Amino acid sequence: MAEVQQSTNQQKVSLYLVPTPVGNLKDITFRAIEVLQSADVILCEDTRTSARLLQHYQIQKPVSPYHQHNEHKIVPHLISQMQSGKVFALITDAGTPGISDPAFLLVRACVQNNINVLCLPGATAFVPALVVSGLPAHRFAFEGFLPPKKGRHTLLTKLAQEERTIILYESPMRLQKTLLELMNYFGESRNCSVSREISKMFETHIRGSLLEVYNYFQAHGVKGEIVLVIEGKTD
């Protein structure tokens, strides 16, 4: 029988997952700043991107890259460092680590090695996009980025039958293509909402049917970070 693990914030924490603003730099908690100031090392998805946030809050700590291209290689080293007593804080370019961003491999390794991990509550892009969409928010399916090729058809076929509200991340370069695909699988009349530049100066929410929203972006172009919220199947 597997042994039950218990993890609490009363125990020594060796890894903190720290959400960072998705737009406005003020969208960070006091506790997040305290953790970043107290950690021995801050792991950053892109050290250049994180430098702006750290400099803004005058946080001067050693930083080290942790991203999808090096995480397999450095996880054993990080585990060894935590076992020797070092405390790490992991941040990504924006939002909560692990939500369509690196974190899973390191967290899993910590759990396997009985190392205490805590995730602070904080910013993530899909929650405000869902709440302001006008679509049902009591049940939803978060899918992150669709697979670019392999498995895309299978997933879209499955999602066309999903009754919960569906949330996707998408790049501005691919949004119009994805909206066209969604119309083919879901039908042109399915309601949706596209949120762009959440918590930034030009935050915008475009709501309507898939066809109406597609036509809007055909006419106006697409810029910024995108969250796409789609009505679930209703009949």
Side-chain angles (χ1 to χ4, degrees):
M1 177 181 287
E3 183 178 345
V4 172
Q5 286 189 357
Q6 177 175 313
S7 179
T8 77
N9 62 8
Q10 303 302 311
Q11 299 170 281
K12 181 184 186 302
V13 178
S14 297
L15 175 64
Y16 288 93
L17 307 179
V18 182
T20 53
V22 297
N24 194 312
L25 289 181
K26 295 179 182 178
D27 294 337
I28 192 168
T29 67
F30 292 124
R31 186 182 178 200
I33 294 172
E34 289 177 354
V35 167
L36 294 174
Q37 289 172 333
S38 63
D40 295 314
V41 180
I42 299 174
L43 301 173
C44 306
E45 185 178 6
D46 187 326
T47 55
R48 295 164 299 180
T49 300
S50 297
R52 178 168 170 257
L53 175 70
L54 299 177
Q55 290 170 4
H56 181 80
Y57 287 104
Q58 300 180 349
I59 298 170
Q60 298 179 347
K61 286 288 181 174
V63 298
S64 181
Y66 179 85
H67 46 71
Q68 61 178 343
H69 303 296
N70 74 348
E71 57 180 341
H72 286 86
K73 185 184 300 183
I74 68 170
V75 161
H77 171 71
L78 295 176
I79 293 298
S80 175
Q81 292 287 296
M82 293 178 203
Q83 289 172 331
S84 70
K86 277 195 173 182
V87 176
F88 290 83
L90 172 60
I91 60 177
T92 58
D93 291 348
T96 298
I99 303 298
S100 293
D101 282 320
F104 165 68
L105 291 179
L106 184 55
V107 172
R108 181 178 64 181
C110 286
V111 171
Q112 291 171 343
N113 287 275
N114 206 27
I115 293 172
N116 200 17
V117 182
L118 280 184
C119 180
L120 275 58
T124 189
F126 78 80
V127 173
L130 170 63
V131 171
V132 303
S133 70
L135 297 171
H138 63 292
R139 297 176 66 238
F140 59 89
F142 173 71
E143 292 292 333
F145 289 96
L146 291 170
K149 292 180 181 179
K150 185 178 180 181
R152 191 178 180 96
H153 167 72
T154 301
L155 179 57
L156 286 172
T157 301
K158 181 179 179 180
L159 290 178
Q161 303 303 314
E162 174 61 66
E163 296 180 352
R164 295 171 295 177
T165 300
I166 302 161
I167 306 169
L168 303 174
Y169 285 162
E170 191 52 280
S171 79
M173 291 80 75
R174 293 192 300 263
L175 177 63
Q176 288 165 298
K177 177 184 175 183
T178 296
L179 288 170
L180 274 175
E181 284 185 288
L182 291 172
M183 283 190 276
N184 290 332
Y185 286 88
F186 293 19
E188 296 179 351
S189 63
R190 186 79 70 94
N191 290 319
C192 71
S193 173
V194 172
S195 297
R196 55 175 296 274
E197 296 292 85
I198 288 175
S199 190
K200 298 179 182 177
M201 182 179 296
F202 298 105
E203 177 174 342
T204 309
H205 307 277
I206 308 299
R207 306 175 183 89
S209 69
L210 285 168
L211 178 59
E212 290 167 339
V213 171
Y214 172 78
N215 288 337
Y216 173 89
F217 284 109
Q218 277 287 88
H220 295 85
V222 189
K223 292 181 180 179
E225 301 294 325
I226 300 294
V227 183
L228 175 56
V229 184
I230 311 155
E231 179 184 29
K233 185 178 180 181
T234 57
D235 49 36

